[in-house]
């Protein structure tokens, strides 16, 4: 076995030969901020970093001394914390905000450098965008001060309380457990000293209250039997409409073991809240310590089922009287309602959380109010406790309020811990509250990360644990675990041979299933918290930027918590540290992957104050070429508690759909997680081949829902889109969207479209991009509503038009009469492809297979009935079976033990549906897959379609993506089948989307709305209808050109058509890329001539070529220029032309250009 270092290099985990500038960047000298804090009295009412008249901050933006940021960013555990140096023992005061004097310089202790904001690499030309979330920004305004005393809740007086108390004491005496002389005092303590409000006593029965008092007393008695004499009281009662939990609690300490009542409340009552089924929570800490316990108090939790004043308001409704819960409306004071109303007004218009803080007049207590959409932050209630405990705060009261418009609001009353020697390390609450607010946004992204235990115990900070969680996800996808055998096999096989490539893909999938499971990776990372800390520091050193100078409110918090300076290690030092710390080769591989991650991140929203998910723009050059031979241009990784997802593209200008993958169970999720990146890569690669006729290269986005969040399709999609937009748009609101470090340094625009489970979400994405001020909102998503300028593929049959051109081409070449052709189709009348194939086709349909089951008739299915289903967009379960012949049948997936007219018995309808397309016999002439799972026909099943060396189905046009594996295609073609693959046939949709994007880029906003958006009354502008028809003709023309090219080249060479499809795609793509780099683009006459041929005639007539050139990005026009010339040349001369062919091709074009210029010249003279 090779040594660890050799293994790592061989597996291409990390390129240690990379230049140092890849990992480190010029930074300015560090200063220790804690030394600069003036010793003036605290002034919490002074203005904080006010905005000047021109909208900038004063003091000016400065860089954070990162060592100071990080060294005091974590709270070390009490057992490992070193004694502070003498100069740290003085009381540290916050700086007065009116002072702008520069602090005295002091030499850094660890030689750490860091960036200043002005030196951060900025993306040129990006336009500002508003924030998707709301944060009460420190320094943006005066603090909001609440003048109201008390909790802001007043329970209605329970008139029968005294009588109930007497009944309780009577029953306690009857029980005989509490000595008679203690009955009154214990009851009085419970009723009057714990702070329980009248709502509880009005809700609970007398026997329930008696049980609670007896349980509390039993806890006191049990304390005497313990060796340590510690009093522990744990009481819970869960009824149908309410619950009560009481527990002993030490202020400011998260209990990792114990009953974990807050986690239970999250899981059982808060996480699944809807307007139809939700619960409100009240919790408070007793005002006095427990008898004999100087540091313990009682924490009480009361959970009540919500009863709304109006359970079904609109989602945009904000009036509390309409959306409020009845108990809340009854108990909340007017001041509390005003606070909630302000928060609610912000929350309904936001994607992420609203975070507000209020000062409590006359005390140091702070009221933190957080609002977010129900179900978008699972586990938030309990995770917040870990957060404020980490900063030395405790809560006196907490409320969780639900509203029927789908908003959850949490209100937490925070106070500092009583000052003792053990908690002297914590900053004053006036400073820490701002860091808590900032980290709530991070917590919102992943409330319960995989390393939460390290955070709750204080071993790692929230940033460090969430960083570790993100790298854990990264490692699970990219740790190279295939070994040298795979590399050897890959070197022997031909990567350009599609059969070899597919076989390697399957071997790779098989090899990856066992060695490094996610659980094993998690176990390894958990062993090395100190390594995680050092690796995180290197990550932070690159990506954290301080925006408001050393007078920033956050700085005292960041500079005060740690008393020991940590050193930022270089990559060489990190490599050495990992090598020394790792106990074995596997551990070293996993921890080395952290370095790969750090080196690959070009930009991230990790430090953006408000965000809804964590996004990372990665440099994909860490991917091993042996596994991913086609290099990616760009990669985004997005992580949230509900999902993980990628967006991959093969060119700067690329387009592809966004799909959401669901999992039926945990096993299916594990399989989907292992194959997520490879599936995304393969889909984007297929898209790249499919996009041969258009300027955009191939891209794809895949979102995998977490196994526990399969119902969060909309939430996951919105978070995915918004977090990627964080990296595409510059910041516009200081404290909301701060600048990020952009190591990519180039403007990026993504073009997306609908795919599985996202078709009904693209309108939101378009509107959201518009709301955030994206200048490219019109072109961001295709497949959107016509109201927003979209051209829906299904309504106009765009994808089907391309598929039909190949089907009709076969009929034309072989002189077949369509109405005599027996047709099999998977994907029924309910889908886009399936329904339009029925509407456009005129074959003799013999069988249709869809999600509902199988419909078969050897004499032909009733065409009029099929048209009815296709127009209605319903499955074959609604087919009128009376229209079947005696030999016809319908078998639905839920049916069992069905006897067919032939006498055959079908035991299971689901299995019959899944395998029907593989049944033997020559029942069909043409097969058009319009739906179905990828690899429905592979090398292990294709033999069922081959009898005596001949294909049982003569013609196949693969409309559904990846329905047949490449090796199975070649077997079918060898058996005589005429087969056109998906990358050729299924390209109508991408052509339509490309021309939709082009129109959106060519029009200004006013003209776009006027010409491309369907009006409110449903009527379409004349230009829109005409443009759609031109798009349809373009699709058919491009499909016909490729069909003829593949048919001709197959006739000449005998090469399989499915191979020629890939060969043509590769040839066009390579020539396209070469043409874009040549000087041909600089020939203005040639450029204009090509663009006039390539651009839609209607756009040229409406806008004019010169205006289009001004508006459309230059790199997009170059892509149009290159793709048009390349595709026309390859379609005319084939994929392997002679060395003079392109010269001849361009000579003819230049001659045509010169002739046109000569014709124009006399007219120009006459015109003058």
């Amino acid at each position: 076995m090779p040594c660890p270092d050799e293994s790592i290099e061989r597996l291409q985990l990390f390129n240690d030969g990379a230049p140092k500038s890849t990992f480190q960047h010029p930074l300015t000298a560090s200063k220790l901020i804690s030394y600069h804090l003036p010793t003036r009295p605290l002034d919490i009412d002074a203005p904080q970093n006010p905005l000047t008249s021109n909208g900038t901050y004063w003091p000016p933006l400065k860089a954070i001394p990162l060592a100071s940021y990080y060294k005091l960013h974590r709270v070390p555990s009490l057992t490992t914390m070193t004694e502070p140096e003498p100069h740290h023992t003085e009381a540290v005061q916050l700086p007065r905000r009116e002072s702008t004097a520069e602090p005295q310089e002091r030499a850094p202790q660890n030689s750490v450098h860091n960036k200043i904001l002005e030196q951060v690499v900025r993306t040129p030309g990006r336009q500002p965008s508003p924030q998707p979330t709301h944060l009460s920004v420190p320094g943006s305004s005066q603090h909001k001060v609440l003048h109201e005393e008390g909790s802001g809740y007043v329970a209605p007086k329970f008139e029968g309380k005294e009588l109930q108390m007497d009944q309780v004491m009577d029953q306690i005496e009857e029980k005989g457990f509490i000595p008679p002389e203690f009955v009154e005092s214990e009851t009085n303590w419970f009723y009057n000293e714990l702070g329980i409000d009248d709502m509880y006593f009005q809700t609970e029965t007398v026997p329930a209250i008696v049980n609670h008092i007896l349980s509390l007393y039993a806890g006191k008695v049990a304390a005497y039997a313990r060796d340590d004499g510690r009093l522990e009281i744990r009481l819970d009662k869960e009824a149908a409409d309410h619950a009560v939990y009481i527990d002993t609690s030490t202020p400011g300490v998260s209990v990792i073991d114990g009953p974990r009542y807050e986690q239970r409340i999250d899981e059982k009552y808060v996480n699944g809240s809807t307007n139809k089924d939700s619960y409100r929570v009240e919790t408070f800490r007793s005002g006095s310590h427990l008898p004999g316990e100087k540091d313990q108090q009682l924490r009480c939790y009361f959970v009540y089922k919500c009863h709304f004043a109006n359970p079904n308001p609109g989602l945009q409704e904000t009036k509390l009287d309409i959306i409020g819960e009845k108990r809340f409306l009854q108990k909340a004071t007017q001041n509390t309602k005003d606070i909630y109303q302000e928060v609610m007004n912000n929350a309904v218009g936001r994607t992420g959380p609203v975070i507000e803080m209020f000062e409590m007049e006359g005390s140091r207590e702070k009221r933190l109010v957080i609002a977010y959409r129900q179900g978008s932050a699972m586990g938030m209630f309990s995770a917040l406790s870990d957060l404020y405990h980490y900063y030395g705060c405790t809560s006196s009261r907490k409320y969780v309020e639900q509203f029927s418009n789908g908003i959850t609001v949490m209100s937490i009353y925070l106070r500092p811990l009583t000052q003792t020697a053990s908690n002297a390390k914590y900053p004053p609450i006036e400073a820490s509250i701002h860091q808590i607010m900032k980290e709530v946004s991070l917590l919102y992204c992943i409330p319960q990360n995989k390393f939460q235990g390290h955070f709750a115990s204080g071993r790692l900070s929230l940033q460090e644990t969430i960083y570790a969680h993100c790298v854990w996800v990264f490692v699970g996808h990219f740790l190279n675990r295939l070994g040298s055998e795979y590399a050897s096999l890959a070197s022997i096989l031909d990567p350009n041979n599609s059969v070899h490539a597919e076989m390697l893909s399957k071997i790779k999938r098989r090899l990856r299933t066992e060695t490094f499971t996610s659980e094993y990776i998690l176990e390894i990372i958990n062993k090395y918290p100190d390594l995680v800390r050092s690796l995180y520091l290197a990550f932070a050193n690159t990506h954290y930027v301080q925006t408001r100078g050393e007078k920033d409110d956050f700085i005292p918090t960041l500079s005060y918590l740690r008393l020991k300076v940590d050193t930022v290690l270089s990559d060489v030092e990190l490599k050495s540290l990992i090598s020394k710390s790792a106990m074995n080769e596997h551990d070293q591989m996993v921890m080395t992957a952290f370095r790969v991650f750090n080196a690959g991140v070009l930009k991230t929203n990790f430090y953006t104050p408000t965000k809804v998910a964590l996004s990372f723009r990665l440099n994909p050059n860490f991917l091993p070429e042996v596994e991913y031979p086609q290099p990616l241009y760009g990669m985004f990784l997005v992580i949230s508690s509900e999902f993980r997802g990628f967006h991959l593209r093969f060119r700067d200008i690329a387009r592809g759909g966004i799909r959401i993958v669901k999992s039926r169970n945990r096993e299916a999720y594990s399989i989907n997680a292992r194959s997520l990146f490879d599936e995304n890569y393969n889909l984007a690669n297929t898209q790249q081949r499919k996009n041969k006729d258009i300027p955009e290269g191939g891209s794809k986005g895949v979102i995998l829902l977490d196994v526990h969040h399969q119902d969060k399709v909309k939430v996951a999609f919105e978070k995915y889109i918004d977090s990627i937009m964080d990296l595409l748009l510059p910041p516009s609101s200081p404290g909301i969207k701060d600048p990020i470090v952009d190591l990519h340094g180039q403007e990026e625009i993504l073009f997306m479209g609908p795919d599985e489970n996202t078709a009904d979400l693209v309108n939101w994405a378009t509107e959201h991009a518009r709301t955030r001020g994206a200048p490219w909102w019109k072109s961001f998503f295709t497949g959107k509503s016509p109201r927003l300028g979209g051209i829906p593929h299904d309504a106009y049959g765009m994808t089907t038009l391309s598929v039909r051109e190949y089907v009709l081409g076969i009929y034309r070449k072989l002189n077949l009469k369509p109405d005599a052709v027996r047709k099999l189709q998977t994907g029924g009348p309910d889908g886009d492809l399936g329904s339009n194939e029925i509407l456009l086709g005129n074959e003799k349909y013999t069988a249709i297979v869809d999600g509902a089951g199988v419909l078969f008739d050897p004499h032909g299915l009733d065409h009029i009935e099929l048209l009815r289903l296709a127009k209605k967009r319903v499955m074959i379960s609604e087919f009128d079976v009376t229209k079947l012949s005696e030999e016809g049948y319908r078998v639905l997936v839920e049916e069992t033990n069905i006897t067919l007219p032939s006498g055959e018995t079908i035991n299971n309808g689901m299995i019959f549906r899944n395998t029907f397309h593989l049944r033997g016999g020559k029942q069909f002439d043409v097969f058009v897959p319009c739906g179905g799972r990828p690899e429905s026909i592979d090398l292990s099943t294709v033999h069922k379609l081959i009898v005596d060396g001949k294909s049982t189905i003569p013609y196949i046009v693969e409309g559904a993506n990846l329905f047949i594996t490449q090796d199975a295609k070649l077997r079918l073609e060898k058996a005589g089948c005429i087969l056109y693959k998906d990358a050729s046939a299924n390209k109508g949709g991408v052509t339509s989307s490309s021309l939709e994007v082009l129109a959106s880029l060519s029009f200004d906003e006013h003209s776009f709305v006027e010409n491309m958006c369907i009006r409110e009354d449903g009527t379409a502008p004349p230009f829109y209808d005409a443009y759609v028809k031109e798009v349809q003709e373009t699709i058919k023309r491009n499909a016909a050109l490729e069909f003829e090219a593949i048919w001709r080249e197959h006739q000449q060479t005998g090469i399989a058509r499915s191979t020629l499809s890939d060969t043509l795609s590769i040839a066009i793509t390579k020539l396209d890329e070469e043409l874009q780099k040549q000087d041909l683009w600089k020939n203005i006459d040639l450029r204009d001539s090509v663009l006039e041929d390539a651009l839609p005639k209607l756009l040229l007539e409406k806008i004019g070529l010169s205006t289009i050139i001004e508006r459309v990005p230059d790199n997009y026009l170059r892509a149009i220029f290159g793709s048009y010339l390349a595709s026309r040349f390859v379609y005319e001369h084939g994929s392997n032309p002679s060395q003079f062919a392109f010269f001849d091709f361009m000579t003819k074009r230049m001659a045509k250009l010169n002739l046109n210029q000569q014709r124009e010249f006399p007219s120009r003279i006459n015109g003058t």
Side-chain angles (χ1 to χ4, degrees), residues 379-681:
M380 187 75 157
F381 178 65
S382 56
L384 281 168
S385 297
D386 293 336
L387 178 58
Y388 59 72
H389 288 166
Y390 185 84
Y391 285 103
C393 296
T394 187
S395 62
S396 58
R397 288 178 173 269
K398 293 189 284 190
Y399 297 88
V400 180
E401 302 292 357
Q402 307 289 356
F403 295 88
S404 58
N405 65 346
I407 299 293
T408 296
V409 180
M410 295 183 181
S411 186
I412 305 170
Y413 294 74
L414 295 177
R415 58 178 59 165
L417 294 175
T418 304
Q419 193 73 11
T420 64
S422 63
N423 60 36
K425 64 181 180 291
Y426 295 115
I429 192 172
E430 290 78 14
S432 61
I433 186 64
H434 297 314
Q435 188 62 24
I436 292 170
M437 292 171 63
K438 193 173 183 181
E439 293 192 16
V440 165
S441 178
L442 191 61
L443 200 64
Y444 174 83
C445 298
I446 309 177
Q448 300 289 337
N449 68 74
K450 289 294 183 179
F451 304 93
Q452 191 78 15
H454 286 297
F455 175 47
S457 67
R459 185 73 183 271
L460 293 174
S461 70
L462 179 64
Q463 289 94 332
E464 288 163 342
T465 56
I466 290 185
Y467 162 78
H469 179 99
C470 293
V471 182
W472 168 75
V473 173
F474 174 86
V475 173
H477 290 293
F478 298 117
L479 186 60
N480 187 339
R481 48 200 184 270
L482 301 181
S484 58
E485 294 82 4
Y486 177 87
S488 299
L489 179 61
S491 65
I492 296 171
L493 299 178
D494 178 9
N496 296 318
N497 185 311
S498 52
V499 177
H500 291 185
E502 190 162 318
M503 183 176 68
L504 278 173
S505 176
K506 290 182 178 180
I507 293 173
K508 178 169 60 175
R509 193 180 314 156
R510 180 69 61 87
L511 289 173
R512 281 184 164 174
T513 57
E514 296 300 331
T515 310
F516 282 80
T517 64
S518 60
E519 293 78 12
Y520 184 39
I521 295 169
L522 184 64
E523 178 186 330
I524 290 173
I525 299 173
N526 265 315
K527 292 192 291 187
Y528 301 102
D530 293 334
L531 274 182
V532 169
R533 187 177 302 126
S534 297
L535 289 157
Y536 169 76
L537 181 54
F539 171 81
N541 188 49
T542 300
H543 294 285
Y544 186 88
V545 178
Q546 180 192 344
T547 57
R548 286 185 289 280
E550 294 176 2
K551 301 296 187 295
D552 195 325
D553 276 309
F554 295 140
I555 297 308
T557 300
L558 298 175
S559 302
Y560 192 90
L561 292 183
R562 287 295 305 276
L563 303 177
K564 181 179 178 181
V565 176
D566 283 345
T567 301
V568 181
L569 301 179
S570 69
D571 187 65
V572 173
E573 292 170 323
L574 283 172
K575 179 182 178 182
S576 176
L577 180 62
I578 292 170
S579 179
K580 294 174 183 176
S581 304
M583 291 184 284
N584 55 55
E585 183 182 3
H586 281 184
D587 290 12
Q588 184 169 350
M589 290 174 67
V590 170
M591 299 313 295
T592 297
F594 277 73
R595 290 171 50 222
V596 179
F597 177 80
N598 285 357
V601 177
L602 297 177
K603 50 185 173 178
T604 176
N605 69 348
F606 193 92
Y607 295 105
T608 300
T610 59
K611 50 194 166 287
V612 295
L614 296 171
S615 55
F616 304 89
R617 167 62 162 93
L618 298 169
N619 185 339
N621 64 3
F622 65 87
L623 294 174
E625 186 178 355
V626 68
E627 292 187 54
Y628 305 100
Q630 183 74 12
L632 286 168
Y633 177 86
M635 176 195 304
F636 288 86
L637 168 63
V638 185
I639 300 171
S640 174
S641 57
E642 296 89 1
F643 70 94
R644 63 181 64 175
F646 289 98
H647 185 274
L648 310 177
R649 72 190 199 274
F650 283 94
R651 286 192 194 169
D652 182 17
I653 300 296
R655 203 202 68 79
I658 309 298
R659 66 169 52 182
I660 293 178
V661 177
K662 296 182 175 182
S663 309
R664 295 187 305 276
N665 49 45
R666 184 175 290 277
E667 181 183 1
Y669 174 79
S670 297
I671 295 170
N672 289 335
R674 284 197 297 267
S675 63
L676 174 64
F677 181 80
D678 285 352
E679 178 181 344
N680 196 336
Y681 179 90

Side-chain angles (χ1 to χ4, degrees), residues 8 21 37 102 113 132 141 276 295 308 361 368 545 569 605 609 748 773 777 852 890 928 1024 1157:
I8 291 169
S21 60
L37 297 178
E102 288 295 324
H113 301 283
S141 62
K276 296 182 175 61
D295 61 344
F308 293 110
E361 187 178 41
L368 186 63
V545 178
L569 301 179
N605 69 348
E748 292 190 283
W777 70 268
R890 183 186 66 188
V928 183
Y1024 182 91
Q1157 289 176 337

Side-chain angles (χ1 to χ4, degrees), residues 576-853:
S576 176
L577 180 62
I578 292 170
S579 179
K580 294 174 183 176
S581 304
M583 291 184 284
N584 55 55
E585 183 182 3
H586 281 184
D587 290 12
Q588 184 169 350
M589 290 174 67
V590 170
M591 299 313 295
T592 297
F594 277 73
R595 290 171 50 222
V596 179
F597 177 80
N598 285 357
V601 177
L602 297 177
K603 50 185 173 178
T604 176
N605 69 348
F606 193 92
Y607 295 105
T608 300
T610 59
K611 50 194 166 287
V612 295
L614 296 171
S615 55
F616 304 89
R617 167 62 162 93
L618 298 169
N619 185 339
N621 64 3
F622 65 87
L623 294 174
E625 186 178 355
V626 68
E627 292 187 54
Y628 305 100
Q630 183 74 12
L632 286 168
Y633 177 86
M635 176 195 304
F636 288 86
L637 168 63
V638 185
I639 300 171
S640 174
S641 57
E642 296 89 1
F643 70 94
R644 63 181 64 175
F646 289 98
H647 185 274
L648 310 177
R649 72 190 199 274
F650 283 94
R651 286 192 194 169
D652 182 17
I653 300 296
R655 203 202 68 79
I658 309 298
R659 66 169 52 182
I660 293 178
V661 177
K662 296 182 175 182
S663 309
R664 295 187 305 276
N665 49 45
R666 184 175 290 277
E667 181 183 1
Y669 174 79
S670 297
I671 295 170
N672 289 335
R674 284 197 297 267
S675 63
L676 174 64
F677 181 80
D678 285 352
E679 178 181 344
N680 196 336
Y681 179 90
N682 292 333
L683 287 168
N685 205 6
T686 299
Q687 194 79 30
Q688 171 83 347
R689 295 194 300 270
K690 193 186 298 184
N691 290 9
K692 60 179 79 70
D693 297 322
I694 62 176
E696 299 98 337
S699 73
K700 208 73 174 182
V702 179
I703 301 169
L704 174 64
L705 294 177
D706 184 80
V707 66
H708 301 297
H709 297 281
Q710 294 299 299
D711 58 338
K712 295 294 192 308
V713 170
K714 187 172 185 291
V715 169
F717 180 82
E718 291 181 359
K719 289 187 176 184
Y720 174 89
I721 294 299
D722 188 76
S723 59
I724 287 181
M725 289 180 67
D726 284 344
L727 304 185
L728 301 179
L729 295 170
S732 64
S733 307
I736 303 294
K737 291 294 181 187
D738 282 344
I740 62 173
V741 177
D742 185 355
L743 302 181
H744 183 57
Q746 299 177 24
E747 182 180 10
E748 292 190 283
I749 303 175
L750 302 184
F751 300 103
M752 302 179 179
D755 207 313
E756 290 181 14
N757 298 312
T758 62
D760 58 342
L761 300 172
V762 296
N763 286 348
W764 175 90
T766 303
E767 295 279 20
H768 188 62
R770 189 179 192 176
T771 301
R772 288 198 61 177
W776 29 258
W777 70 268
K778 305 189 301 295
S779 60
F780 186 39
F781 257 87
T782 55
K784 53 188 176 290
S785 165
R787 179 178 56 84
L788 295 170
I791 302 177
H793 298 173
D794 55 350
Y796 296 103
M798 298 302 191
T799 308
T800 310
L801 285 172
S802 178
V803 175
R804 287 298 300 170
E805 201 62 36
Y806 283 84
V807 174
L808 294 174
I810 293 173
Y811 297 163
R812 184 175 63 252
K813 291 290 185 181
L814 302 178
N815 295 317
L816 300 176
K817 294 182 178 179
D819 56 1
V821 174
R822 298 170 301 166
K823 183 175 183 179
L824 164 65
Q825 178 179 312
T826 57
D830 61 315
D832 170 10
L833 260 177
S835 63
N836 283 308
E837 182 67 21
I838 291 171
L839 293 172
L840 295 176
N842 58 346
E843 296 92 343
K844 179 181 179 181
Y845 269 94
T846 309
I848 292 180
V849 181
D850 70 2

Side-chain angles (χ1 to χ4, degrees), residues 258-282:
R260 299 174 66 83
Y261 287 142
E262 291 195 351
Q263 285 78 7
R264 180 167 180 81
I265 290 171
D266 261 333
E267 293 167 5
K268 187 166 184 178
Y269 299 106
V270 179
N271 288 349
S273 295
T274 65
N275 60 342
K276 296 182 175 61
D277 184 23
S278 58
Y279 293 81
R280 62 185 300 270
V281 181
E282 298 182 14

